[in-house]
Amino acid sequence: MTPSELLIEEFSRIQGYVGATLKNTTVATLTYRADADANTIAWLIWHLSRVQDDHFADLAGTAQVYTGQGWAERFDLPFGPTATGYGHTSADVAAVRADAELLVGYYDAVHTATVAYLGTLVEADLDRVIDESWTPAVTVGVRLASVLSDDLQHAGQAAFVRGLADRADA
């Protein structure tokens, strides 16, 4: 298995987790909060999608799916189209009210762009430095590991919140 194939496998697992978490959900479930300031499923999925989209577009030198394919307009959120969720307040989290179809559609579009980029990678690309403002400098491989780790954590958090929401609704 090549590094490219391994990464495609890993990011495809995230797609599966996102789809399973969103399956047969209502907006009420997607916006359920375990407490007044907790993250919602909708925000977690939107955020992990935005981060992946933002970082992969930067790596590939392409437009983000969110802005380039009209997803920002479809979400119609009260913050700018470059927002990814970093630094969001509790009110910002609450503002992400989207149905499962919109969330899974956006993530699937991001996943398609992700796989297209990953399919171009060769092993030597992983060592290319992309950000020298950190010590040590950030390479493509480190950036990919960071996005993978963050997205897996957020997908797991969304699945956990789904369980809480389903139990609260029962």
Side-chain angles (χ1 to χ4, degrees):
M1 181 177 270
T2 67
S4 176
E5 292 167 335
L6 176 63
L7 288 161
I8 290 169
E9 173 66 25
E10 289 298 322
F11 279 97
S12 295
R13 289 175 186 232
I14 295 169
Q15 183 185 35
Y17 301 145
V18 166
T21 298
L22 296 176
K23 186 175 182 177
N24 299 320
T25 55
T26 63
V27 172
T29 298
L30 293 170
T31 57
Y32 171 83
R33 294 181 103 165
D35 69 31
D37 292 318
N39 292 331
T40 66
I41 297 166
W43 184 86
L44 286 162
I45 300 296
W46 173 83
H47 170 62
L48 75 83
S49 302
R50 287 295 299 123
V51 169
Q52 187 172 328
D53 188 8
D54 175 74
H55 287 26
F56 272 85
D58 186 52
L59 289 170
T62 61
Q64 292 182 24
V65 171
Y66 194 66
T67 53
Q69 295 181 17
W71 291 99
E73 291 81 12
R74 285 177 248 183
F75 275 92
D76 191 29
L77 297 174
F79 24 85
T82 60
T84 62
Y86 286 121
H88 269 187
T89 65
S90 180
D92 293 332
V93 170
V96 180
R97 297 187 58 83
D99 64 26
E101 184 179 349
L102 184 63
L103 289 162
V104 80
Y106 175 48
Y107 185 80
D108 285 350
V110 169
H111 181 71
T112 297
T114 297
V115 169
Y117 171 73
L118 291 173
T120 69
L121 282 182
V122 295
E123 190 171 347
D125 293 332
L126 299 175
D127 293 327
R128 181 171 55 87
V129 173
I130 57 169
D131 187 348
E132 294 183 356
S133 67
W134 296 89
T135 303
V138 177
T139 63
V140 169
V142 168
R143 177 62 46 83
L144 293 172
S146 174
V147 175
L148 181 62
S149 174
D150 286 354
D151 279 5
L152 283 169
Q153 288 183 69
H154 289 317
Q157 291 164 353
F160 178 76
V161 175
R162 170 73 191 265
L164 294 176
D166 287 350
R167 287 178 64 147
D169 193 40

